[in-house]
Amino acid sequence: MTASAGVSPGAAVDEDRVQRFLEKVITDTGAAVAGLCTSLGDRLGLYTAMAGAGPLTSAQLAARTGLAERYVREWLAAQVAGEYIGYAPGTDTYLLPDEHAAVLADPDLPTYAAGFSTLLQAIYATEDTLMEAFRTGEGVGWEEHGPALFAGSAKFFRPGYAASLVPEWLTALDGVVEKLERGARVADVGCGYGYSTTLMAQAFPRSHFDGFDFHRPSVEAARGLVAEQGLEDRVSFEVATAQDFPGEDFDLITFFDCLHDIGDPGGALHHAEQALADGGTCMVVEPNASADAQENANPIGRALTAASVAVCLPSALAQHGPQALGNHAGEEAMRQIADEAGLHHWRLAAESPVNRVYAVGR
């Protein structure tokens, strides 16, 4: 190995460390490829068909899903290799353990994580565009990605919101639940597909909710969700940016996993400050990642920071605003931006492995 390969001249290379790191890279590469199989299993209903079904042959699983047996058999082999699914050679059957089904098969469980794999299709598809952005410093807008990014983001965040938003996060905000129970006005900024908005609306039938997002296809998906749930009388969605959404005297303004994606987060918070009712509250939900890179050396931190390279930072840069935070700017940076926007009260209200929830007010 030579100096040009990144090793100092005359330095002794620890071959055991080289081999261990090589194994890590190969493991990661295998996981990256296997993510496609996870996404296929999720989108084609293979995990759902196996959940609670007991041992199945590939033919039986193909029959349950209406898929081609030869493809199903190949997919099962990959799942066994990844230790997602068990195999009994004596009976040539495959089993999805209940514990694995809780992560892969049921979108209504808080442990469901398979939806994140849907994102991979969109992220890898924009690699060439991202390479050029690295060279020019320009951004890659949210809308430049494929639909899999929008759907995958919604699928990934929904279980956590469903498990924590109403019973934990809102209750951690001083006086907010009482207002919502009496009847309050709520603006959900960067609402995406509207899952966060409708979860709140279902829990608080006396309140009115306005969802805003600059991405029209997401707003249209949110409107479809509202129609499906019969909430049109209390929930509306509109195409608008975080800096110009309409309305005033909101008792609660929420930002779910989106403030760091905005090119002008200070402008967004200043507009929110102007739109708040007296005594109103902003709830800022951000990824649970640290400004200290070493503190993100864990599975969740790794996924979040990689997503920031692929999506979050490029999206903010594409808006040509004064700041492009990435998703791990840290609490202190966010607090300072809020303070400069006129929101001087900042408190960590709740925390999960994926998110940190801040109560913010004047």
Side-chain angles (χ1 to χ4, degrees):
M1 197 173 291
T2 67
S4 63
V7 178
S8 301
V13 176
D14 186 330
E15 292 297 338
D16 287 340
R17 290 184 63 189
V18 171
Q19 288 302 313
R20 287 197 297 272
F21 184 65
L22 175 61
E23 290 173 5
K24 174 179 172 57
V25 171
I26 292 173
T27 298
D28 291 346
T29 303
V33 178
L36 170 64
C37 294
T38 304
S39 182
L40 287 169
D42 177 54
R43 297 176 68 195
L44 290 170
L46 286 157
Y47 295 126
T48 302
M50 296 189 75
L56 295 170
T57 65
S58 59
Q60 289 171 329
L61 180 57
R64 290 173 71 94
T65 55
L67 301 173
E69 187 277 336
R70 185 62 188 89
Y71 274 105
V72 169
R73 187 169 12 124
E74 202 76 357
W75 177 84
L76 285 166
Q79 295 295 287
V80 172
E83 299 181 337
Y84 279 29
I85 287 174
Y87 176 63
T91 56
D92 195 25
T93 56
Y94 303 83
L95 175 70
L96 179 65
D98 291 341
E99 296 79 5
H100 295 198
V103 178
L104 298 170
D106 189 348
D108 291 326
L109 292 179
T111 50
Y112 171 75
F116 188 81
S117 295
T118 303
L119 293 168
L120 300 177
Q121 178 189 142
I123 290 173
Y124 281 113
T126 53
E127 182 180 355
D128 288 346
T129 305
L130 188 59
M131 285 179 64
E132 187 62 20
F134 264 73
R135 297 186 178 105
T136 65
E138 292 296 317
V140 181
W142 179 260
E143 69 284 354
E144 294 184 60
H145 295 276
L149 177 65
F150 322 135
S153 296
K155 287 176 69 175
F156 172 67
F157 285 114
R158 180 182 174 274
Y161 294 167
S164 302
L165 170 53
V166 173
E168 297 176 16
W169 298 352
L170 289 175
T171 58
L173 307 179
D174 295 336
V176 168
V177 166
E178 291 79 4
K179 291 180 181 179
L180 291 169
E181 288 175 341
R182 290 194 301 265
R185 290 197 65 203
V186 180
D188 188 6
V189 182
C191 63
Y193 274 34
Y195 288 133
S196 53
T197 325
T198 55
L199 284 166
M200 292 187 288
Q202 288 171 333
F204 301 102
R206 293 184 177 178
S207 292
H208 189 277
F209 299 83
D210 295 306
F212 303 106
D213 203 291
F214 80 106
H215 186 241
R216 183 172 295 278
S218 292
V219 169
E220 291 171 352
R223 288 170 176 165
L225 179 64
V226 163
E228 179 183 312
Q229 296 181 354
L231 297 171
E232 299 99 324
D233 60 326
R234 297 188 295 107
V235 182
S236 64
F237 291 101
E238 187 171 339
V239 177
T241 73
Q243 294 85 8
D244 67 7
F245 65 87
E248 57 186 12
D249 292 330
F250 290 106
D251 299 290
L252 175 66
I253 299 177
T254 60
F255 295 86
F256 287 93
D257 289 289
C258 66
L259 189 61
H260 62 269
D261 293 322
I262 297 172
D264 186 7
L269 288 177
H270 177 69
H271 186 65
E273 188 274 333
Q274 296 291 305
L276 276 176
D278 291 340
T281 302
C282 282
M283 180 168 70
V284 176
V285 181
E286 280 290 300
N288 195 347
S290 173
D292 183 340
Q294 291 181 311
E295 293 183 2
N296 296 320
N298 57 73
I300 292 176
R302 186 183 188 193
L304 290 172
T305 54
S308 193
V309 173
V311 179
C312 303
L313 178 65
S315 293
L317 286 169
Q319 298 169 44
H320 301 288
Q323 292 165 308
L325 296 176
N327 69 14
H328 53 101
E331 180 178 354
E332 188 54 40
M334 288 287 190
R335 181 200 298 265
Q336 182 176 342
I337 291 170
D339 188 65
E340 292 172 353
L343 296 168
H344 307 300
H345 296 279
W346 178 283
R347 176 175 65 89
L348 175 63
E351 188 172 9
S352 75
V354 175
N355 287 114
R356 289 168 69 85
V357 181
Y358 302 103
V360 188
R362 295 192 183 95

